[in-house]
Amino acid sequence: MRASRQKAAESRERILDVAARLFREKGFGGAGLEVIMQGAGLTHGGFYGHFQSKEQLAAEAVARALQRSGERQSRFTSIGELVADYLTQRHCEDRANGCALAALGADIARQSDEVRRAPTLYLRQRIDQIAALVRGEPAKQRQQAIATLAGLVGALTLARAVDDPALAAEVLEAAREVFSKPDPALN
Amino acid sequence: MRASRQKAAESRERILDVAARLFREKGFGGAGLEVIMQGAGLTHGGFYGHFQSKEQLAAEAVARALQRSGERQSRFTSIGELVADYLTQRHCEDRANGCALAALGADIARQSDEVRRAPTLYLRQRIDQIAALVRGEPAKQRQQAIATLAGLVGALTLARAVDDPALAAEVLEAAREVFSKPDPALN
DNA sequence: TGTACATCAGTGAACGCGCGTTCACTGATGTAC
DNA sequence: TGTACATCAGTGAACGCGCGTTCACTGATGTAC
């Protein structure tokens, strides 16, 4: 039954990837260890050979999801591109593979500091990135970056919370329009 | 043991109020019926005399929380006032009594249509209200209203998700600054 | 108004279930000679 | 290189616990005469 160290390391990676998806899709409470381990092709008894607790898994899974988002977003060299990539109907529908801040925002706020560490780091990086893409004096750049990020996460949250596809689409489109050109007065 | 119809109606109200608070504070999964009923001064066996299921309670509790928010927000006659009232540190810390969209946003997206009905109605009303407070042509008014609402909910979500009070405060302040005067180009 | 009975709001124990966690065990992997 | 043993990744059953839900019961309220 013992697997090689190589295989064990791969198992850990698979658990993290599956957890990162399932937590975003179903929430921390909605995704059980049984299902996560099954998704990784293992039985649930082996979980504690890889992680100390579900909470530790949550922290690492959130970190992983946000790292992937960060890699994707850091490629963009204009706000328009970044916004257009974030506020798509596809992203709105595909919680499992999308932004963890939008998929778990309220849940993260209720978790331990351990889980909230990665979101903090991620937000700092996004602020710095977007601030560099905006014109204006530095303090205003940061303000615009923060407001834009809030707008993106909020728009996705609202579009998903709403029980009417047309309204959801309108929310995405309006936010795309407004946040693609932050603070036109400065341009 | 039987209570009068008057008392029973009051009990139902108390259950709803307690649930509206506890769901926002701990999430739908984190607040159990036992604790909710206890908070209403009852034993948990009596719950099903008032509601068909926990899900029905969730739907009504969310509706109640949003109705209260709507009453509060509909008083404002300028965006600046509304934004200043929403993006306070107090609101950020007091999830239990604040905006249900920010406190439960991601959770609501995972709930049934029944639960999502009230948020949809609430959002429509807020859009109409804020659109009326913005200058510009009607289509742009709606866009601005939606973007502002997204920014408010997103800023609160980010501020709460973050594990650094200074960063949280900065998020609130930046969003207050930017969203108090939406689209300065139009003013 | 007073009495007798039906109703039903609330009680408290019990239910089945899924959860996170633990543990004895298995057998392939890794190590020491 | 080959052998013997220790390690440990993964298995599968079991654990205690809290949850949503059900139910028989209680006794004050509401109703009918």
Side-chain angles (χ1 to χ4, degrees):
Chain A
M1 292 295 179
R2 185 185 185 187
S4 69
R5 284 174 189 164
Q6 161 92 358
K7 291 283 177 198
E10 288 170 13
S11 290
R12 194 178 200 279
E13 292 301 294
R14 258 180 292 121
I15 296 169
L16 272 176
D17 283 331
V18 172
R21 261 190 287 114
L22 286 177
F23 282 148
R24 278 177 284 181
E25 187 179 338
K26 300 174 188 295
F28 294 120
L33 295 182
E34 171 87 55
V35 176
I36 291 170
M37 291 298 281
Q38 202 174 295
L42 298 168
T43 54
H44 75 290
F47 174 78
Y48 293 88
H50 293 289
F51 301 92
Q52 279 180 25
S53 64
K54 191 185 184 185
E55 193 181 332
Q56 193 205 337
L57 174 66
E60 292 201 32
V62 166
R64 163 147 313 196
L66 289 175
Q67 186 202 318
R68 295 267 158 83
S69 292
E71 285 166 9
R72 179 184 185 121
Q73 289 162 353
S74 63
R75 296 179 336 215
F76 297 112
T77 54
S78 83
I79 292 195
E81 290 172 77
L82 189 146
V83 168
D85 180 70
Y86 191 96
L87 293 176
T88 62
Q89 195 181 338
R90 191 174 176 290
H91 190 184
C92 186
E93 286 163 0
D94 188 16
R95 277 202 301 268
N97 296 292
C99 174
L101 278 179
L104 291 166
D107 301 72
I108 288 172
R110 289 182 217 107
Q111 303 298 314
S112 67
D113 288 356
E114 197 187 355
V115 177
R116 287 155 64 189
R117 204 156 298 143
T120 307
L121 179 64
Y122 171 81
L123 183 61
R124 284 219 173 83
Q125 292 174 339
R126 291 308 108 225
I127 292 174
D128 288 343
Q129 178 199 0
I130 297 187
L133 299 178
V134 189
R135 298 199 189 91
E137 49 173 309
K140 293 288 174 191
Q141 285 180 312
R142 263 187 85 82
Q143 275 187 1
Q144 275 299 326
I146 290 170
T148 301
L149 281 162
L152 294 182
V153 171
L156 207 52
T157 301
L158 292 181
R160 284 172 176 165
V162 143
D163 177 26
D164 174 358
L167 183 56
E170 188 190 2
V171 167
L172 292 181
E173 196 198 330
R176 246 184 277 128
E177 195 68 28
V178 172
F179 294 115
S180 284
K181 309 149 193 148
D183 209 345
L186 297 174
N187 292 338
Chain B
M1 294 294 180
R2 186 185 184 183
S4 70
R5 283 172 189 163
Q6 161 92 358
K7 292 283 177 199
E10 289 170 10
S11 290
R12 193 177 200 278
E13 293 301 295
R14 257 181 291 123
I15 295 169
L16 271 176
D17 283 331
V18 172
R21 261 189 287 114
L22 286 178
F23 283 148
R24 278 177 283 181
E25 187 179 337
K26 301 173 188 296
F28 294 119
L33 294 182
E34 171 86 55
V35 177
I36 292 170
M37 291 299 281
Q38 201 174 297
L42 299 168
T43 54
H44 75 289
F47 174 76
Y48 293 89
H50 293 287
F51 300 92
Q52 279 179 24
S53 63
K54 191 184 183 184
E55 192 181 332
Q56 193 204 336
L57 174 66
E60 293 201 33
V62 166
R64 163 147 312 195
L66 289 175
Q67 187 202 317
R68 296 267 157 83
S69 293
E71 285 166 8
R72 178 183 186 124
Q73 288 162 353
S74 61
R75 296 179 339 216
F76 297 112
T77 54
S78 81
I79 293 196
E81 289 173 78
L82 190 145
V83 168
D85 181 69
Y86 191 95
L87 293 176
T88 61
Q89 194 182 338
R90 191 173 177 288
H91 190 184
C92 185
E93 285 164 0
D94 189 16
R95 277 202 302 268
N97 296 293
C99 174
L101 279 179
L104 291 166
D107 300 73
I108 288 172
R110 288 181 218 110
Q111 303 297 314
S112 68
D113 288 355
E114 197 187 355
V115 177
R116 288 155 62 187
R117 203 156 298 143
T120 307
L121 179 64
Y122 171 81
L123 183 60
R124 284 219 173 83
Q125 293 174 338
R126 290 309 108 223
I127 292 174
D128 288 344
Q129 180 199 356
I130 296 186
L133 299 178
V134 189
R135 298 198 189 91
E137 49 174 309
K140 293 288 174 191
Q141 286 180 312
R142 264 187 85 83
Q143 276 186 1
Q144 275 300 326
I146 290 170
T148 302
L149 280 162
L152 293 183
V153 171
L156 207 52
T157 301
L158 292 181
R160 284 172 176 166
V162 142
D163 176 27
D164 174 359
L167 183 56
E170 188 189 2
V171 167
L172 293 180
E173 196 198 330
R176 245 185 278 130
E177 194 69 28
V178 172
F179 294 115
S180 284
K181 309 149 192 148
D183 208 347
L186 298 173
N187 291 338

